[in-house]
Amino acid sequence: MAFSRDPLDELVVPDGTEAKEVDLVTDGDVLVGGRSTVEFGVRGRNVLAGEGVEFGGAIEAEGDCRLDMWCDVAENVLVGQDAYIGERVHVSGEMKVAGDLDIGDDVEIDEGFEANGWIVIRNPMPTIVFLFVYLKHLLLIGEDETAQKLVSEIVDEDEKIETEPLVIPQNATVSDDAWRVSTPATIGDDCRLHGNVRAETIDVGTDTTIFGSLRARGDVTVGSGTRIHGDLTTRKGDVTIDGDARILGDVSCADLEIGPEAEIDGTIRANGEITMGTTEREPE
């Protein structure tokens, strides 16, 4: 897992992520920037959330869970290892922790909590804030190797976890209706998501299905085999639709490049050039 910039300056949906009924499910970690609203529950390896994040469902973390102050969770919190809960966090359900629980002041857990390890009542350091500020500082002064070493220790590379984290930037809104961010968005391969995606730029991988539209200020790329069940619109950017991708709606953009077997079911509005791809000829 390598960082070349602020880790929370982009929406990143890793390969294989699915929106299953009321939960976002991923094999890797889940990182949520401060003051974001996630109307789903989340299920992943480690779950880390910044200050003031709202979760509309349960949290299930195979590893650790760290919630900074003022977070609100609408259902249960189930943690496979240790939990670090900042002050004034509210959990509407119950909290079960297989390891140690480090908990701050004025935390409300409506249906009670239990931990198999130590329970320490204090104000844990806002880990996610410290982590990203420190990483950003290291990158600004050119200490890329030190930053990479820190990240490696955090994600425990000895366990050979290769899945990149699900990253939701600060002030984002993620729901069954829409994914709204003011940053670029990268959606991986073999994902299945519900909701319209709104971002600065959008890059969708291969064989992904999105039940919603795509709208960006800049460029939009759709990988081969992907299905977009909605319109694709960009204000000033170009659109590239690779391979046999299919857009079940209208496309509006500047320049448009269409793969050899790509399909657009609706109307095309391109202010610039439209380039039609051709199937490569096999060498004689």
Side-chain angles (χ1 to χ4, degrees):
M1 177 181 173
F3 288 123
S4 59
R5 55 186 182 276
D6 184 343
L8 284 177
D9 69 355
E10 183 177 3
L11 170 66
V12 178
V13 181
D15 297 349
T17 299
E18 292 188 59
K20 293 185 176 180
E21 296 181 353
V22 295
D23 292 327
L24 283 178
V25 182
T26 182
D27 292 332
D29 297 341
V30 179
L31 310 179
V32 185
R35 299 172 299 282
S36 291
T37 299
V38 182
E39 295 186 11
F40 296 98
V42 296
R43 289 157 52 188
R45 184 170 174 262
N46 298 309
V47 178
L48 293 83
E51 181 178 326
V53 174
E54 297 183 11
F55 292 92
I59 293 176
E60 295 185 27
E62 294 179 7
D64 294 345
C65 178
R66 296 175 180 263
L67 304 179
D68 282 349
M69 62 191 314
W70 297 107
C71 285
D72 191 284
V73 184
E75 297 181 21
N76 300 329
V77 176
L78 307 177
V79 184
Q81 295 182 16
D82 300 331
Y84 304 82
I85 309 300
E87 61 182 356
R88 296 181 175 85
V89 168
H90 175 237
V91 178
S92 295
E94 62 179 351
M95 178 178 292
K96 292 186 177 181
V97 181
D100 298 337
L101 173 60
D102 202 340
I103 191 168
D105 294 333
D106 298 323
V107 173
E108 296 183 16
I109 304 174
D110 292 354
E111 298 183 16
F113 65 90
E114 60 181 70
N116 291 334
W118 292 98
I119 299 177
V120 180
I121 300 176
R122 61 181 177 181
N123 290 328
M125 178 182 296
T127 307
I128 197 168
V129 175
F130 170 79
L131 167 63
F132 292 128
V133 169
Y134 183 44
L135 278 174
K136 190 172 184 179
H137 173 71
L138 289 175
L139 295 171
L140 285 173
I141 65 176
E143 294 288 342
D144 293 2
E145 185 175 344
T146 304
Q148 181 62 50
K149 183 178 179 181
L150 173 63
V151 173
S152 299
E153 291 174 353
I154 293 168
V155 301
D156 193 3
E157 287 190 344
D158 290 338
E159 296 186 21
K160 297 182 180 179
I161 300 296
E162 298 180 355
T163 303
E164 64 178 328
L166 168 62
V167 180
I168 298 174
Q170 299 177 11
N171 301 305
T173 299
V174 175
S175 71
D176 196 51
D177 178 64
W179 298 55
R180 300 180 186 275
V181 300
S182 58
T183 67
T186 300
I187 300 172
D189 304 335
D190 299 305
C191 296
R192 186 178 179 86
L193 306 178
H194 295 263
N196 304 312
V197 180
R198 305 288 184 260
E200 185 66 26
T201 60
I202 302 173
D203 186 354
V204 184
T206 61
D207 299 316
T208 283
T209 300
I210 298 178
F211 294 96
S213 62
L214 306 182
R215 181 178 296 173
R217 294 179 182 272
D219 296 345
V220 178
T221 300
V222 177
S224 180
T226 287
R227 298 292 182 268
I228 307 298
H229 293 256
D231 297 335
L232 192 163
T233 304
T234 172
R235 293 184 183 179
K236 301 178 181 179
D238 301 332
V239 168
T240 301
I241 303 173
D242 291 334
D244 61 346
R246 184 177 179 185
I247 312 299
L248 286 81
D250 299 338
V251 173
S252 179
C253 59
D255 293 343
L256 173 62
E257 182 177 346
I258 307 174
E261 298 180 10
E263 297 181 27
I264 299 174
D265 288 6
T267 301
I268 296 175
R269 301 180 181 88
N271 296 326
E273 297 181 351
I274 298 178
T275 304
M276 306 292 291
T278 56
T279 304
E280 294 185 3
R281 297 171 60 184
E282 296 183 359
E284 296 181 359

